[in-house]
C-alpha cells in the first residue's frame, strides 16, 4: 500500500521504518524540509518528502503530530484521496500542548480530531509509549505479545489499521467505535501499560472518564520530574509508573 505519514517524531519515524520493512511504499514528512528527517526513519526504504506531497495518491494517511498541531495539518488530510484510510496517533497533554477548551475532561479526543479532518478517522498507536513501541515489537504468535487498541467507526478502515498494527509488531485489538475511544486516552488503565489481547478487555472496562485527566497530569508531572533529574526514562519505568497511577 502507499502510505503517507505526517509527523516524523518518536512515533512517526518508527512507523515509517516498520511499515517500509513490511513492504509498503512509505512517504514521511515533518513541518520542515525533508532533509531534516532523521535518517534512521528512512533506513528501511521510506522516502522523506515535503508535507505538501505526503498524502498525494495515498491509500493510507497516518497523522502523528502533537494534538495542538492537528488544526495545522487538517488541510493536508482533507486533501488526501477520498478513499484513503485516515489513522491518527495523537493524545492530548495539557502540560505539553497547552489548554484546548474543546478537550476539557470527558471529551473524546479522536472525535475532535476527526471533526478537523472532516472524515472518518481511526485511532491507533496512541496507547503505547514511544519506548515500548521501539523496544517491544514481536512476531505474531509470540507469547505475551503487547496489544494495541484500535478504535474507529468504519469497519474497512479499522481492518486496514489493524493489519498495519500487526505489521508493526503488536497484536491489534478492536476497541470499538470512535466515541468509545476515550477508554484508551491518557490516564486510563489501558493507556501505555503494555497489556496483552487477553488483558485489554478488562483494563478498557475499568476506565473512569472522571479520573483520567487528573491521573494523566500526575503521570506526566512525574515523568518530567524524573527525566529533568536523570535523563530519559525507560520503557519499563513508564509502564510501571502508568500501571501504578492509572
Ligand atoms: N511519544 C510517545 O510516547 C507517544 C506515544 C503514542 C502516541 N503519541 C502521540 O502521537 C503524536 C506524535 O507523538 P511524537 O512523540 O512522535 O511527537 P514528536 O516527537 O513531538 O513529533 C511530532 C512531529 O509532528 C511534526 N509536525 C508538527 N506540525 C506539523 C505540520 N504542520 N506539518 C507536518 N508535520 C508537523 C513535527 O515536525 P517538526 O519536527 O518539523 O516540528 C514532528 O516531526 C502525539 O499526538 C503524541 O501524543 C506519542
Amino acid at each position: 500500500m502507499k502510505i503517507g505519514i505526517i509527523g516524523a517524531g518518536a512515533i512517526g519515524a518508527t512507523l515509517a521504518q516498520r511499515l517500509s520493512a513490511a513492504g509498503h511504499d512509505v512517504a514521511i514528512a515533518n513541518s520542515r524540509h525533508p532533509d531534516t528527517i532523521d535518517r534512521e526513519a528512512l533506513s528501511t526504504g521510506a522516502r522523506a518528502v515535503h508535507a505538501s506531497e505526503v498524502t498525494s495518491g495515498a491509500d493510507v494517511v497516518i497523522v502523528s503530530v502533537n494534538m495542538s498541531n492537528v488544526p495545522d495539518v487538517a488541510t493536508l488530510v482533507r486533501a488526501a484521496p477520498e478513499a484513503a484510510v485516515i489513522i491518527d496517533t495523537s493524545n492530548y497533554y495539557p502540560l505539553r500542548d497547552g489548554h484546548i477548551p474543546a478537550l476539557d475532561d470527558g471529551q473524546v479526543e479522536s472525535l475532535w480530531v476527526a471533526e478537523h479532518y472532516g472524515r472518518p478517522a481511526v485511532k491507533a498507536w496512541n496507547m503505547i509509549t514511544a519506548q515500548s513501541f521501539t523496544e517491544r515489537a514481536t512476531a505474531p504468535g509470540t507469547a505475551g505479545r503487547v496489544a494495541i487498541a484500535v478504535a474507529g467507526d468504519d469497519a474497512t478502515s479499522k481492518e486496514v489499521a489493524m493489519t498495519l498494527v500487526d505489521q508493526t509488531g503488536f497484536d491489534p485489538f478492536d476497541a470499538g467505535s470512535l466515541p468509545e475511544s476515550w477508554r484508551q486516552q491518557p490516564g486510563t488503565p489501558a493507556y501505555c501499560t503494555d497489556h496483552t489481547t487477553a488483558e485489554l478487555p478488562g483494563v478498557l472496562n475499568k476506565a473512569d472518564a472522571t479520573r483520567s485527566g487528573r491521573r494523566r497530569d500526575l503521570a506526566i508531572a512525574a515523568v518530567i520530574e524524573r527525566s529533568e533529574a536523570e535523563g530519559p526514562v525507560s520503557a519499563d519505568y513508564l509502564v510501571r509508573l502508568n500501571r501504578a497511577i492509572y
Side-chain angles (χ1 to χ4, degrees), residues 218-244:
L218 279 169
I220 195 81
V223 171
I224 290 170
E225 163 56 27
R226 173 61 75 103
S227 50
E228 277 177 4
E230 296 178 24
V233 294
S234 67
D236 190 48
Y237 171 87
L238 287 168
V239 169
R240 282 189 289 114
L241 178 78
N242 293 339
R243 285 190 179 200

Side-chain angles (χ1 to χ4, degrees), residues 18-227:
R18 300 257 166 88
L19 295 173
S20 292
H24 298 290
D25 173 4
V26 178
I28 181 165
N30 61 14
S31 71
R32 297 165 284 146
H33 192 277
D35 286 350
T36 61
I37 290 178
D38 187 350
R39 297 298 101 177
E40 189 81 10
L42 313 178
S43 60
T44 57
R47 291 169 290 115
V49 300
H50 289 281
S52 58
E53 304 159 336
V54 72
T55 65
S56 170
D59 301 305
V60 176
V61 172
I62 304 174
V63 189
S64 193
V65 302
N66 292 327
M67 203 160 260
S68 50
N69 295 123
V70 161
D72 306 332
V73 300
T75 309
L76 288 177
V77 179
R78 284 172 181 263
E82 207 175 316
V85 170
I86 312 296
I87 309 174
D88 189 277
T89 77
S90 64
N91 295 301
Y92 177 46
Y93 278 100
L95 294 180
R96 180 195 65 197
D97 294 342
H99 182 59
I100 302 176
L103 290 175
D104 278 340
D105 280 2
Q107 293 299 308
V108 183
E109 294 168 8
S110 291
L111 290 179
W112 181 85
V113 168
E115 208 174 292
H116 279 82
Y117 299 158
R119 48 206 293 174
V122 179
K123 188 179 189 79
W125 293 293
N126 80 297
M127 44 80 82
I128 184 148
T129 64
Q131 291 82 343
S132 288
F133 193 44
T134 303
E135 296 171 22
R136 296 188 172 170
T138 53
T142 304
R145 194 184 199 212
V146 176
I148 288 182
V150 179
D153 298 331
D154 178 66
T156 310
S157 301
K158 187 153 61 174
E159 205 178 302
V160 169
M162 290 180 67
T163 300
L164 296 178
V165 164
D166 190 36
Q167 291 174 347
T168 59
F170 297 85
D171 271 350
F173 180 85
D174 185 343
S177 67
L178 216 54
E180 277 296 298
S181 68
W182 64 270
R183 293 183 182 277
Q184 66 190 74
Q185 286 182 187
T188 60
Y191 182 78
C192 292
T193 41
D194 287 6
H195 288 285
T196 62
T197 296
E199 294 163 340
L200 264 188
V203 282
L204 284 164
N205 234 343
K206 275 201 213 152
D208 179 346
T210 67
R211 298 207 171 267
S212 55
R214 193 153 37 135
R215 291 178 181 186
R216 168 203 61 207
D217 293 346
L218 279 169
I220 195 81
V223 171
I224 290 170
E225 163 56 27
R226 173 61 75 103
S227 50

